[in-house]
Amino acid sequence: MTIPTELSKKQLSRQVRQHLDSLKAAGVDWLPAGSIPIALQGWSQTQDSKSAKPQAVLGRPAMDQTTETPLKGLFADVGGPDPTMAAKPATSAIPLEQRKQELKLLTEKVSQCSRCAELASTRTQTVFGVGSVGAELCFIGEAPGADEDAQGEPFVGAAGQLLDKIIAACNMKREEVYICNIIKCRPPGNRTPLPNEAANCREYLERQLELIQPKFICALGSTAAKYLLNTTQGIGQLRGRFHDYRGIPVMCTYHPAYLLPHRSPGKTKDVWEDMKMLLARMGRPVT
């Protein structure tokens, strides 16, 4: 048997991790260990399948139990980039200034992106993100709107002004947090991002979060939660409790646009309850 190269092992680890993230988001709490782990150089193995540890499961690709064929990447079926792309260096040991520089380079790369032909042809500019690299908290919305497309900054319209009030109520400043969206271009007519558009931007979002290294994430609205956590649950089912994105606690709540006077301002109380729960988890005083 040919031993996989170091690159292929990294690719495999990335695919398995994303697959496990999606299973966890769907409510799967455990998986049976494989009976015949594939031997990988330097990887944990087991001789007794009945006592196999989770590490052994990571030594084999996710398999369809019916066809025994490796599963496609989580986003391959909707036209997105292969999520098993070569893994970037671990960011935990990268100095802050270097992460800032890499984020600038990523911003420039995104500004030239044309993966989504319709979005690339109708946008004024891409809207990457704003805030502090190394911010403790990251807010993630769904997509830029007209104001954001014009100014190149997320959450600057009416919904953004309301988000600023939410941040202030949490005794934080806008510049202390990081704010971004699932996709970086405005969809025509402010429509909801399509699955293939979210898939095309997934690589950028993942690297963005790797470089920011937030300790907590707040997903704003069902679309942001759906694409971040790979879930089909609605925001009403997701809010009020914590979820997980690669070890980062995620609180889901209503999008600020949903709280505007012409929509559902009565949900403001629910958002504040979610934020109080988040602040308590962060160890910040709730006033």
Side-chain angles (χ1 to χ4, degrees):
M1 180 182 68
T2 302
I3 300 299
T5 65
E6 185 65 27
L7 177 59
S8 66
K9 285 190 289 185
K10 290 179 179 179
Q11 291 175 328
L12 179 61
S13 176
R14 185 182 180 90
Q15 182 177 9
V16 171
R17 181 173 59 181
Q18 289 184 328
H19 182 63
L20 293 178
D21 284 346
S22 67
L23 290 175
K24 185 172 182 179
V28 177
D29 295 324
W30 65 277
L31 290 172
S35 57
I36 310 177
I38 297 175
L40 294 177
Q41 185 178 8
W43 284 40
S44 299
Q45 302 176 41
T46 179
Q47 300 299 322
D48 182 359
S49 63
K50 293 183 180 180
S51 61
K53 296 183 182 338
Q55 288 90 335
V57 179
L58 295 180
R60 56 184 289 150
M63 303 293 287
D64 184 320
Q65 298 302 315
T66 301
T67 63
E68 286 297 310
T69 301
L71 294 175
K72 294 180 179 179
L74 291 178
F75 296 94
D77 58 341
V78 289
D82 184 2
T84 64
M85 56 177 285
K88 303 291 192 303
T91 55
S92 57
I94 299 179
L96 179 62
E97 288 304 315
Q98 184 176 338
R99 284 193 280 130
K100 289 181 179 179
Q101 183 61 33
E102 289 196 27
L103 199 66
K104 289 181 180 179
L105 294 175
L106 183 61
T107 304
E108 294 173 3
K109 179 180 179 180
V110 169
S111 70
Q112 304 300 316
C113 180
S114 58
R115 290 175 178 175
C116 304
E118 181 183 24
L119 302 190
S121 64
T122 58
R123 74 190 181 209
T124 300
Q125 59 191 313
T126 56
V127 182
F128 185 74
V130 67
S132 174
V133 177
E136 185 178 15
L137 176 60
C138 176
F139 289 93
I140 302 179
E142 62 177 69
D147 293 318
E148 291 75 19
D149 179 66
Q151 298 184 41
E153 183 174 327
F155 285 90
V156 293
Q161 294 172 22
L162 187 49
L163 177 59
D164 288 347
K165 292 181 180 179
I166 293 172
I167 294 171
C170 294
N171 291 319
M172 289 184 280
K173 298 179 181 178
R174 183 179 173 101
E175 55 267 27
E176 291 179 44
V177 303
Y178 194 85
I179 306 172
C180 61
N181 286 299
I182 292 293
I183 68 171
K184 313 307 182 188
C185 299
R186 179 198 179 195
N190 289 355
R191 63 163 171 74
T192 302
L194 301 176
N196 69 297
E197 293 167 348
N200 286 338
C201 247
R202 180 75 181 196
E203 174 191 346
Y204 302 140
L205 176 65
E206 289 180 352
R207 188 57 179 166
Q208 192 173 25
L209 293 175
E210 286 174 356
L211 293 170
I212 298 301
Q213 294 186 14
K215 293 183 174 63
F216 300 89
I217 293 174
C218 182
L220 301 170
S222 59
T223 300
K226 170 185 175 181
Y227 289 125
L228 177 68
L229 301 174
N230 302 316
T231 181
T232 59
Q233 291 183 306
I235 193 65
Q237 297 171 288
L238 294 169
R239 59 164 297 272
R241 57 192 174 93
F242 284 96
H243 304 272
D244 178 89
Y245 170 81
R246 299 188 175 183
I248 303 174
V250 178
M251 173 59 70
C252 302
T253 194
Y254 294 110
H255 194 285
Y258 188 63
L259 307 179
L260 295 175
H262 65 286
R263 299 190 65 181
S264 301
K267 294 294 184 180
T268 302
K269 181 179 179 181
D270 292 334
V271 172
W272 181 233
E273 291 300 319
D274 294 334
M275 297 311 298
K276 286 195 296 183
M277 187 179 299
L278 176 59
L279 289 171
R281 181 73 173 267
M282 294 173 67
R284 287 176 171 264
V286 179
T287 57

